Amino acid sequence: MAAAMPLALLVLLLLGPGGWSQAEPPRDTLREELVITPLPSGDVAATFQFRTRWDSELQRERASHYRLFPKALGQLIAKYSLRELHLSFTQGFWRTRYWGSPFLQAPSDTDHYFLRYAVLPREVVCTENLTPWKKLLPCSSKAGLSVLLKADRLFHTSYHSQAVHIRPICRNARCTRVSWELRQTLSVVFDAFVTGQGKKEWSLFRMFSRTLTEPCPLASESRVYVDITSYNQNNEPLEVSPPPTTTYQDVILGSRKTYAVYDLLDTALINSSRSLNLQLKWKRPPESEAPPVPFLHAQRYVSGYGLQKGELSTLLYNTHPYRAFPVLLLDTVPWYLRLYVHTLTITSKGKENKPSYIHYQPAQDRLQPHLLEMLIQLPASSVTKVSIQFERALLKWTEYTPDPNHGFYVSPSVLSALVPSVVAGTPVDWEESPLFSTLFPVSDGSSYFVRLYTEPLLVSLPTPDFSMPYNVICLTCTVVAVCYGSFYNLLTRTFHIEEPSTGGLAKRLANLIRRVRGVPPL
Amino acid sequence: MRSGPPATLLAWACAGASPPSGLGMRGGARPSGTGSASEREAPGLTGAARRVGARTGGGRGVVGPRRPAMGLLSDPVRRRALARLVLRLNAPLCVLSYVAGIAWFLALAFPPLTQRTYMSENAMGSTMVEEQFAGGDRARNFARDFAAHRRKSGALPVAWLERTMRSVGLEVYTQSFSRKLPFPDETHERYLVSGTNVYGILRGPRAASTESLVLTVPCSSDSTNSQAVGLLLALAAHFRGQIYWAKDIIFLVTDHDLLGTEAWLEAYHDVNVTGIQSSPLQGRAGAIQAAVALELSSDVITSLDVTVEGLNGQLPNLDLLNLFQTFCQKGGLLCTLQGKLQPQDWTSLDGPLQSLQTLLLMVLRQASGRPHGPHGLFLRYRVEALTLRGINSFRQYKYDLVAVGKALEGMFRKLNHLLERLHQSFFFYLLPALSRFVSIGLYMPAAGFLLLVLGLKALELWMRLHEAGAGPDEARGVPGPSLAAPPVQGVGLTSLVAPLLISQAMGLALYVLPVLGQHVAAQHFPVAEAEAVVLTLLAIYAAGLALPHNTHRVVSTQAPDRGWMALKLVALVYLALQLGCIALTNFSLGFLLAATMVPAAALAEPHGPRPLYAALLVLTSPAATLLGSLFLWRELQEVPLSLAEGWQLFLAALAQGVLEHYSYGALLFPLLALGLYPCWLLFWNVLFWK
């Protein structure tokens, strides 16, 4: 679900009281699949999905016997009464403008009362995150689609995102009984330019340096889908080998798609050559023109220069020729950027655009970031600019990171929208349709749901010169010593009026007596 | 014990604060008045004072009642001696200080003051990079195609560039901009400028577009720079095939050289500093960490010249230059600074003398405040940048594009390693050679000594003014407030207001009128707009000299000497403050102006050989300094100017200075017009005080 986060860790935790009725004897299934999609830019996206479903009331039964469902997660659910969990690690950035809308499904049916949301834009994702993720799979990386998950290839990509989603699924209409679903997804985008030496051809071997040899024996479904939709009407530009046994058509992300389907459980498929190495060739070399632009994409940047003030600007592009649609924009900004809310301006086509809903929660220093949520209507074929000014705060000197001159990250803003479809789809029953449709956003026919993440920002804050403390100490000590010395001198000195010595011993004596009596001296 | 007032003055002057001008006269005289007042009030205070004294058991010092508070802090007798010393030895001290300043500056080229450069940034220092760029033929082909397309279309071949950048795998965007210059630029032959910048972004696979590097090539009608475009494209193709990029790389080809760069930078940061109209950018790549600008005019080069001086004398972090130098050495490239080779022999006198030439060239360039290449405009946005220029002269050894490409590849790979912005090394430095530098701590004393002359002179005037007012008092050694106070209070503001206002108004006219009145001038005189601007500039400048200098006569009837002394005091302090501020931000400009203006400013007075002083003043006025700098500049470059050429160059430089203020935000013109010229007029006023 973390569609577009760079090096990000995203946690959506829904904690709440458990409480469902008695369940049947546990029954679990594993379904795995791989969707390969050539992107408009010529790159290739591969999305794996492993879905383990367990008909067990984990929170009630305290299950002790685990088969396919990983015990570590099962115990987590049982112990903390977890309602829902989404965790994703992403490296790279989903370039919506060039790659189209992201394929990952947004969490639906969320109950926002117990929502926790966090993003760590600085976190690095690497092999050590992949290995434990792979261990959650029943076949690990021994058989089935997971043999393709070779770390050195997966991390040589333009985009890498791995995620774990846990949620309960109702088993009947009234939701009296639930099953637990664990969905592990991994999507990568291979840079066709680098891996294909400039040619936009690919094969499983070229991408993963592995081929498929056998299905996972524990899986009840194991399929590979290849997007062979022809964008031009006249002829099919690409060719897949081996030729698919079946094809599947559906409306995905608002447009009609055709998929070649390879079922690994179909023994004929692998037996013929002992391994399955899918290949795709372009019949005509794809022209290097600007790819089609998706209806909704966004860009975010910091404007201004200098270390005092700045402006956060988000550009929201609606490229639909005649339909306007609303977008929900969620921004969390760290407290050390002090937002000036009165400078919030939203303009579309040169006119002010009044959001129909604004929720703002101000930051508290060192405790809580700013939260800004707005519902904005994007006019057809327009660019909407949302900008807000900020001032860069000075941190305490121990609060700076070890590399303060690198800058400080501002997490991406989240855009959620119902984007109009090109082709009206028919609402489908998810359980009946191929599993991969869960990868794609909800479609109600006339529009589809999209959640986008903008790029994270790097903002420099004013930093002290950390090599200076010695000089500063010397300087301040000198200043303090000089000032202190003279002020002390001034304050402790007494001021007498020195009078010419008149009068002799008698007067002094008289004065002494007067002083003893408390009478002013002569 | 009546030495309070001079001691007070000295304390103020020593604290570095300017003595309160004009009104200061009264302040200086006040102690004697307040002294008597406190004496009168003393009986009322004594009770409390005595009780305090009794309680604390008595202090160390016992102070007379007429002493002002400042006098408490030090021994007045010794200070008076020091004041007398300053007064008596003022002239020798000034000369000494001036000579010391100049000598210190000249000594900067010699080894104890110049240090070897060293890489401070860890991320760039220790890692090894193997350059693999081998696209020399590709670069030449790109260059040839670009030149052909350019010749065919007569402008930047935007469509071809877009297509080529896309074919090497970049995300390509364009930006169109237009700008109407305040008056026609005759050097570059442009007035209404509109163009298109093309840039391609290589997205680093390891990051989320939070940081980027820029490689930029400026193109314009007079310098096509096609080899640089070819090399940029070939490098882009090579870089695209690599997997190690952790930062995005922006390949930027700008139209109308610096105007395009300025338009792109303003649009990238979404600000409008100079009023240029441009279309918003469609693609961005986060915070730019560093930029390299490239200018090549032939397929082979004999040397690579590096330029660091940017807009308003800003300099990039020294580490960027060190990085360039590292790869020059590694690739065996011949690299020059200010077009001068690095001296090899530092032990004899030749090396330092050669480096002195380089140093002077750098000072002249930095002082001009011009962006000496596209890199100069990046510096405002805190993007460390430098410009590399390929020079093809008649030397024997030539390098092809591969050698340059390898150096650039190495630089970009090392910049790619950066974890933080470049910040470890120096931002303020002077370069006597490519591998030697003078840090700010070592060169500032030179400017300090020169400014000290102004300080000493101001001090002397201040004390003389006081003596003139309190002279009899001082001589007799008895309190005589009635003698000192009344004439002193009369000096003050009134006689200074008129000259100050008039000279500031002249400055304002100099700043505003030439550009504002260019059309009027062009209508009434047979000149073009650009000429009109320059000639108006000179006319107003000269008119300032002929202004009435006797306005003080109308408003004031005091002793004439006090009037000019007060005015000169104000002018000296004003000049010292201005030069001090300039020297802090742009040392070269500050030093150059100080070295020329200080002697005349110190000497100017209405007595003595007036024509001589006047000639000296005119010769050291800001405009004359500019003219002199041009001659010195060409002399150091070993292309001496004839007088006529020099005058033409001077006129062109004036026009360029005004244009650069409007098109890039260079501050030299307003600084001279609004700050230094009025200040200089004050001295002129002093000289002709009657």
Side-chain angles (χ1 to χ4, degrees), chain A residues 285-319:
Chain A
E287 62 282 1
S288 60
E289 277 172 16
V293 180
F295 287 150
L296 173 68
H297 61 105
Q299 189 190 3
R300 194 166 185 233
Y301 56 89
V302 183
S303 37
Y305 59 92
L307 287 178
Q308 198 203 346
K309 285 184 175 185
E311 194 172 41
L312 283 177
S313 306
T314 312
L315 297 179
L316 309 174
Y317 293 86
N318 175 6
T319 56

Side-chain angles (χ1 to χ4, degrees), chain B residues 7-26:
Chain B
T8 311
L9 302 181
L10 192 61
W12 273 329
C14 288
S18 61
S21 52
L23 279 173
M25 294 304 303
R26 247 180 274 160

Side-chain angles (χ1 to χ4, degrees), chain B residues 289-311:
Chain B
Q289 306 288 307
V292 177
L294 184 65
E295 292 179 16
L296 297 174
S297 49
S298 64
D299 284 345
V300 287
I301 58 159
T302 51
S303 61
L304 212 53
D305 189 55
V306 60
T307 314
V308 287
E309 303 86 1
L311 188 69

